[in-house]
Amino acid sequence: MKKIFGIIIASSVLLGAGTMYAKTDSAANLSNWYEHSFQNESMKLGVETGAGLWRTFSNVKIFVSEAKQSFDTSLASFTAKRVSEATTEIEQYQIDTENRLEQTVSELKDENLKVYSKQANINEDIEEDIEQSVEEILEEVLSE
């Protein structure tokens, strides 16, 4: 009798558990679990994506800053070099021009200007053109 009584109780418990499980909406439970899990994973993914983008933008900002510093340094170096070269060229041109002028003055002092003009068959118009050209050249040299 104990066996029968045990079977009846076990059957009742199983039948009650089956009935309770049948009455619950397992699809709704599964749907709620899935939605909750999806939301949690979506939030984690969103946080990780935001953090990754923030790190990437921070790295880009650092890279741009370093590139700007490098460009500024290169530009300053290039500018200084070109200014130095231009200054040297101008100074050399000025020295050459002054030497030619001193040589011409020296030659003209040695000879009488009128005699020099007659020997070279230079008329007054040509002399004026030469003087004007010399003045223009001097203005160019001295203005640089």
Side-chain angles (χ1 to χ4, degrees), residues 10 19 21 29-30 35-38 40-42 44 48 52 70 75 84 89 119 133:
T19 305
Y21 180 73
N29 288 337
L30 184 60
E35 186 175 329
H36 181 68
S37 295
F38 181 76
N40 286 341
E41 291 300 317
S42 293
K44 287 179 187 177
E48 287 298 319
S70 175
L75 183 62
S84 175
E89 290 175 7
Q119 288 175 351
S133 295

Side-chain angles (χ1 to χ4, degrees), residues 70-88:
S70 175
F71 178 74
D72 289 345
T73 302
S74 297
L75 183 62
S77 173
F78 176 76
T79 303
K81 182 179 176 185
R82 292 300 300 150
V83 166
S84 175
E85 289 173 358
T87 302
T88 303

Side-chain angles (χ1 to χ4, degrees), residues 74-124:
S74 297
L75 183 62
S77 173
F78 176 76
T79 303
K81 182 179 176 185
R82 292 300 300 150
V83 166
S84 175
E85 289 173 358
T87 302
T88 303
E89 290 175 7
I90 290 170
E91 288 171 352
Q92 186 60 44
Y93 184 74
Q94 182 180 0
I95 290 170
D96 291 344
T97 305
E98 288 173 354
N99 288 339
R100 285 186 298 196
L101 283 174
E102 288 175 6
Q103 183 181 2
T104 303
V105 167
S106 173
E107 289 174 3
L108 289 176
K109 282 183 180 179
D110 290 343
E111 297 182 27
N112 186 348
L113 184 60
K114 289 182 182 180
V115 172
Y116 181 77
S117 296
K118 286 180 185 177
Q119 288 175 351
N121 294 326
I122 299 176
N123 61 26
E124 291 180 18

Side-chain angles (χ1 to χ4, degrees), residues 18-36:
T19 305
M20 286 174 44
Y21 180 73
K23 289 193 176 198
T24 61
D25 190 5
S26 61
N29 288 337
L30 184 60
S31 177
N32 288 339
W33 171 82
Y34 179 76
E35 186 175 329
H36 181 68

